[in-house]
Amino acid sequence: MMIRLPAALFACALLLPAPLRAFEITEITSPGGLTAWLAEDDSIPFVGLNIIFEGGASLDDPARRGAISLMASTLEEGAGDMDATDFARAVESLGASEEFNVADDALIVSARALSENRDEAAELLRLALTRPRFDEDAVARVRSQMLAVIRSEETDPSAIAGKAMARTLWGDHPYASPINGTSDSVAALTPDDLRDAAARVLARDRVLIAAAGDITGEELGEMVDLILGDLPETGSVPLPDEARFMGEGGAEIIDWDSPQTVIRFAQPGLPIDDPDYFAATIANHILGGGGFSSRLMDELRERRGLTYGVSSGLSNGVYGQSWGGGLSTSNATAGESVRLLRETWAAMAEGGVTEAELEAAKTYLTGEYPLRFDGNMRIAGILAGMQMIGLPIDYPSFRNDMVEAVTLDDVNRVARERLDADALSFVLVGRPEGMEEEAGETASD
């Protein structure tokens, strides 16, 4: 129900980018005027389809936070003349799958079907998106499941830290509040609220479409018109405003009875279309994104054994960006961990990286990229995501060239200009020791 963090990447340093040339991406326009990106491949008789509705959970009515998440989770709980059981049986009988997920910036529909059952599966997806039932019993059942998730998060230090950090960074923007809402907001949701939520996000003016597999451009055009043709032309509310980064450094401590402290940290980030983005990506890989080879892992785990793992990353929302990460450590070593993290952050800003670190990072980042394109479903998801963040259709063909073009001077300049240890905001959940000297410290229960 909730997606906030990028998916993990897996490395294969010896793999070359040749697989990216194994398929061609084409843009098609349906008879009804919808555009879609297609990677056609008839080697396996099935098609993967990814549909993104821009805005996602950020389009929630603030008074009904969690409605879009609950609505998306209830789309497959009956549609048209079929109740939840009949609809599930119909999908299963085709050997198809339909998934509906919500992120801050998108409602994501992922579907797959065998070529021989493609039309029937498309009709079921059409019903789910255009004629959802939102039956009282189905809504009550899914709402109960969501409330269980929310209650679990209320006792999970990692979830508590993540929500507190979101409030710190994003103020009154939807990014600051949980996608799933609160126990109170979700408990009050009705089927009518879900119909309102659907009208906010399920519309043709905010749809992005991608497909991969055994389907031609003409067939895809007909299919997307079938699935989406009956949707409203426009959403009932405008897309969200840009989010203003509100973090001002310092540390918030949330008291939690646990032998360990969960730590989250963040500073301002940069958007994907920033000219410095690839240099920042390489800098981050060296700093905290490269697993055991990263500086943060070396300083905090390998040399001192303060944590099992620590990482950093560039978080790129459509409406706002941050650069941060997290770790867990014992209460007794929390203050030391924060101090060393700040020092490592500052050391890269001041001293930059080495040529050897740069080359190792490039080898990883170019080597792992082709591994993302390992099936029709993933390819369709990548193509839809590219559209959402504004990348050109031929981006996969030159992305690794952009990485290779980054110089040592580029990375060191970006580290110097963009990394700011004093701007790091921290949230600590636990009973951390040694935090007395951290500027801006606050505490809450």
PDB file of all heavy atoms in Angstrom, residues 359-373:
ATOM      1  N   GLU A 359      36.393   5.404 -10.511  1.00  0.00           N
ATOM      2  CA  GLU A 359      36.332   4.337 -11.503  1.00  0.00           C
ATOM      3  C   GLU A 359      35.547   3.141 -10.994  1.00  0.00           C
ATOM      4  O   GLU A 359      34.790   2.510 -11.754  1.00  0.00           O
ATOM      5  CB  GLU A 359      37.748   3.925 -11.908  1.00  0.00           C
ATOM      6  CG  GLU A 359      38.495   4.996 -12.693  1.00  0.00           C
ATOM      7  CD  GLU A 359      37.690   5.494 -13.898  1.00  0.00           C
ATOM      8  OE1 GLU A 359      37.142   4.647 -14.646  1.00  0.00           O
ATOM      9  OE2 GLU A 359      37.594   6.720 -14.082  1.00  0.00           O
ATOM     10  N   ALA A 360      35.710   2.801  -9.711  1.00  0.00           N
ATOM     11  CA  ALA A 360      34.942   1.688  -9.146  1.00  0.00           C
ATOM     12  C   ALA A 360      33.450   1.996  -9.153  1.00  0.00           C
ATOM     13  O   ALA A 360      32.621   1.122  -9.454  1.00  0.00           O
ATOM     14  CB  ALA A 360      35.415   1.393  -7.725  1.00  0.00           C
ATOM     15  N   ALA A 361      33.085   3.229  -8.839  1.00  0.00           N
ATOM     16  CA  ALA A 361      31.675   3.620  -8.849  1.00  0.00           C
ATOM     17  C   ALA A 361      31.103   3.558 -10.260  1.00  0.00           C
ATOM     18  O   ALA A 361      29.984   3.071 -10.473  1.00  0.00           O
ATOM     19  CB  ALA A 361      31.514   5.016  -8.266  1.00  0.00           C
ATOM     20  N   LYS A 362      31.843   4.041 -11.244  1.00  0.00           N
ATOM     21  CA  LYS A 362      31.371   3.979 -12.628  1.00  0.00           C
ATOM     22  C   LYS A 362      31.183   2.535 -13.082  1.00  0.00           C
ATOM     23  O   LYS A 362      30.191   2.208 -13.763  1.00  0.00           O
ATOM     24  CB  LYS A 362      32.367   4.681 -13.550  1.00  0.00           C
ATOM     25  CG  LYS A 362      32.356   6.200 -13.488  1.00  0.00           C
ATOM     26  CD  LYS A 362      33.330   6.763 -14.511  1.00  0.00           C
ATOM     27  CE  LYS A 362      33.311   8.275 -14.566  1.00  0.00           C
ATOM     28  NZ  LYS A 362      34.229   8.804 -15.591  1.00  0.00           N
ATOM     29  N   THR A 363      32.105   1.669 -12.718  1.00  0.00           N
ATOM     30  CA  THR A 363      31.997   0.263 -13.106  1.00  0.00           C
ATOM     31  C   THR A 363      30.715  -0.345 -12.556  1.00  0.00           C
ATOM     32  O   THR A 363      29.986  -1.059 -13.255  1.00  0.00           O
ATOM     33  CB  THR A 363      33.211  -0.526 -12.605  1.00  0.00           C
ATOM     34  OG1 THR A 363      34.394  -0.013 -13.224  1.00  0.00           O
ATOM     35  CG2 THR A 363      33.082  -2.004 -12.928  1.00  0.00           C
ATOM     36  N   TYR A 364      30.424  -0.052 -11.295  1.00  0.00           N
ATOM     37  CA  TYR A 364      29.199  -0.573 -10.693  1.00  0.00           C
ATOM     38  C   TYR A 364      27.960   0.017 -11.358  1.00  0.00           C
ATOM     39  O   TYR A 364      27.037  -0.702 -11.765  1.00  0.00           O
ATOM     40  CB  TYR A 364      29.170  -0.268  -9.200  1.00  0.00           C
ATOM     41  CG  TYR A 364      27.876  -0.690  -8.545  1.00  0.00           C
ATOM     42  CD1 TYR A 364      27.726  -1.965  -8.025  1.00  0.00           C
ATOM     43  CD2 TYR A 364      26.794   0.181  -8.486  1.00  0.00           C
ATOM     44  CE1 TYR A 364      26.529  -2.365  -7.453  1.00  0.00           C
ATOM     45  CE2 TYR A 364      25.595  -0.204  -7.919  1.00  0.00           C
ATOM     46  CZ  TYR A 364      25.471  -1.479  -7.402  1.00  0.00           C
ATOM     47  OH  TYR A 364      24.279  -1.858  -6.850  1.00  0.00           O
ATOM     48  N   LEU A 365      27.911   1.327 -11.454  1.00  0.00           N
ATOM     49  CA  LEU A 365      26.696   1.996 -11.918  1.00  0.00           C
ATOM     50  C   LEU A 365      26.373   1.685 -13.373  1.00  0.00           C
ATOM     51  O   LEU A 365      25.202   1.615 -13.756  1.00  0.00           O
ATOM     52  CB  LEU A 365      26.818   3.507 -11.712  1.00  0.00           C
ATOM     53  CG  LEU A 365      26.850   3.969 -10.252  1.00  0.00           C
ATOM     54  CD1 LEU A 365      27.221   5.446 -10.164  1.00  0.00           C
ATOM     55  CD2 LEU A 365      25.504   3.719  -9.574  1.00  0.00           C
ATOM     56  N   THR A 366      27.387   1.497 -14.204  1.00  0.00           N
ATOM     57  CA  THR A 366      27.127   1.116 -15.592  1.00  0.00           C
ATOM     58  C   THR A 366      26.864  -0.384 -15.711  1.00  0.00           C
ATOM     59  O   THR A 366      26.091  -0.818 -16.571  1.00  0.00           O
ATOM     60  CB  THR A 366      28.293   1.504 -16.506  1.00  0.00           C
ATOM     61  OG1 THR A 366      29.513   0.922 -16.010  1.00  0.00           O
ATOM     62  CG2 THR A 366      28.451   3.016 -16.570  1.00  0.00           C
ATOM     63  N   GLY A 367      27.482  -1.173 -14.836  1.00  0.00           N
ATOM     64  CA  GLY A 367      27.293  -2.621 -14.901  1.00  0.00           C
ATOM     65  C   GLY A 367      25.938  -3.082 -14.423  1.00  0.00           C
ATOM     66  O   GLY A 367      25.348  -4.016 -14.971  1.00  0.00           O
ATOM     67  N   GLU A 368      25.413  -2.427 -13.369  1.00  0.00           N
ATOM     68  CA  GLU A 368      24.131  -2.882 -12.837  1.00  0.00           C
ATOM     69  C   GLU A 368      22.944  -2.395 -13.670  1.00  0.00           C
ATOM     70  O   GLU A 368      21.853  -2.960 -13.585  1.00  0.00           O
ATOM     71  CB  GLU A 368      23.952  -2.435 -11.376  1.00  0.00           C
ATOM     72  CG  GLU A 368      23.933  -0.938 -11.111  1.00  0.00           C
ATOM     73  CD  GLU A 368      22.586  -0.296 -11.388  1.00  0.00           C
ATOM     74  OE1 GLU A 368      21.554  -0.993 -11.336  1.00  0.00           O
ATOM     75  OE2 GLU A 368      22.568   0.905 -11.686  1.00  0.00           O
ATOM     76  N   TYR A 369      23.130  -1.360 -14.476  1.00  0.00           N
ATOM     77  CA  TYR A 369      21.988  -0.763 -15.167  1.00  0.00           C
ATOM     78  C   TYR A 369      21.247  -1.754 -16.067  1.00  0.00           C
ATOM     79  O   TYR A 369      20.009  -1.835 -16.031  1.00  0.00           O
ATOM     80  CB  TYR A 369      22.439   0.469 -15.950  1.00  0.00           C
ATOM     81  CG  TYR A 369      21.310   1.244 -16.566  1.00  0.00           C
ATOM     82  CD1 TYR A 369      20.302   1.796 -15.781  1.00  0.00           C
ATOM     83  CD2 TYR A 369      21.229   1.423 -17.947  1.00  0.00           C
ATOM     84  CE1 TYR A 369      19.252   2.504 -16.352  1.00  0.00           C
ATOM     85  CE2 TYR A 369      20.196   2.141 -18.521  1.00  0.00           C
ATOM     86  CZ  TYR A 369      19.214   2.677 -17.720  1.00  0.00           C
ATOM     87  OH  TYR A 369      18.168   3.377 -18.284  1.00  0.00           O
ATOM     88  N   PRO A 370      21.940  -2.550 -16.895  1.00  0.00           N
ATOM     89  CA  PRO A 370      21.206  -3.498 -17.742  1.00  0.00           C
ATOM     90  C   PRO A 370      20.406  -4.525 -16.954  1.00  0.00           C
ATOM     91  O   PRO A 370      19.428  -5.070 -17.460  1.00  0.00           O
ATOM     92  CB  PRO A 370      22.317  -4.178 -18.560  1.00  0.00           C
ATOM     93  CG  PRO A 370      23.449  -3.204 -18.547  1.00  0.00           C
ATOM     94  CD  PRO A 370      23.387  -2.552 -17.199  1.00  0.00           C
ATOM     95  N   LEU A 371      20.811  -4.796 -15.707  1.00  0.00           N
ATOM     96  CA  LEU A 371      20.108  -5.801 -14.921  1.00  0.00           C
ATOM     97  C   LEU A 371      18.696  -5.370 -14.557  1.00  0.00           C
ATOM     98  O   LEU A 371      17.868  -6.196 -14.166  1.00  0.00           O
ATOM     99  CB  LEU A 371      20.886  -6.099 -13.635  1.00  0.00           C
ATOM    100  CG  LEU A 371      22.275  -6.717 -13.817  1.00  0.00           C
ATOM    101  CD1 LEU A 371      22.907  -6.974 -12.472  1.00  0.00           C
ATOM    102  CD2 LEU A 371      22.201  -7.991 -14.629  1.00  0.00           C
ATOM    103  N   ARG A 372      18.409  -4.092 -14.669  1.00  0.00           N
ATOM    104  CA  ARG A 372      17.056  -3.625 -14.365  1.00  0.00           C
ATOM    105  C   ARG A 372      16.063  -4.073 -15.443  1.00  0.00           C
ATOM    106  O   ARG A 372      14.870  -4.149 -15.183  1.00  0.00           O
ATOM    107  CB  ARG A 372      17.040  -2.093 -14.269  1.00  0.00           C
ATOM    108  CG  ARG A 372      18.046  -1.533 -13.282  1.00  0.00           C
ATOM    109  CD  ARG A 372      17.918  -0.021 -13.195  1.00  0.00           C
ATOM    110  NE  ARG A 372      19.084   0.588 -12.563  1.00  0.00           N
ATOM    111  CZ  ARG A 372      19.183   1.875 -12.287  1.00  0.00           C
ATOM    112  NH1 ARG A 372      18.178   2.692 -12.580  1.00  0.00           N
ATOM    113  NH2 ARG A 372      20.267   2.360 -11.716  1.00  0.00           N
ATOM    114  N   PHE A 373      16.554  -4.348 -16.647  1.00  0.00           N
ATOM    115  CA  PHE A 373      15.691  -4.674 -17.778  1.00  0.00           C
ATOM    116  C   PHE A 373      15.582  -6.188 -17.936  1.00  0.00           C
ATOM    117  O   PHE A 373      15.875  -6.735 -18.992  1.00  0.00           O
ATOM    118  CB  PHE A 373      16.246  -4.044 -19.061  1.00  0.00           C
ATOM    119  CG  PHE A 373      16.320  -2.536 -19.016  1.00  0.00           C
ATOM    120  CD1 PHE A 373      17.374  -1.895 -18.375  1.00  0.00           C
ATOM    121  CD2 PHE A 373      15.337  -1.765 -19.608  1.00  0.00           C
ATOM    122  CE1 PHE A 373      17.451  -0.513 -18.333  1.00  0.00           C
ATOM    123  CE2 PHE A 373      15.398  -0.380 -19.576  1.00  0.00           C
ATOM    124  CZ  PHE A 373      16.450   0.249 -18.932  1.00  0.00           C
TER     125      PHE A 373
END
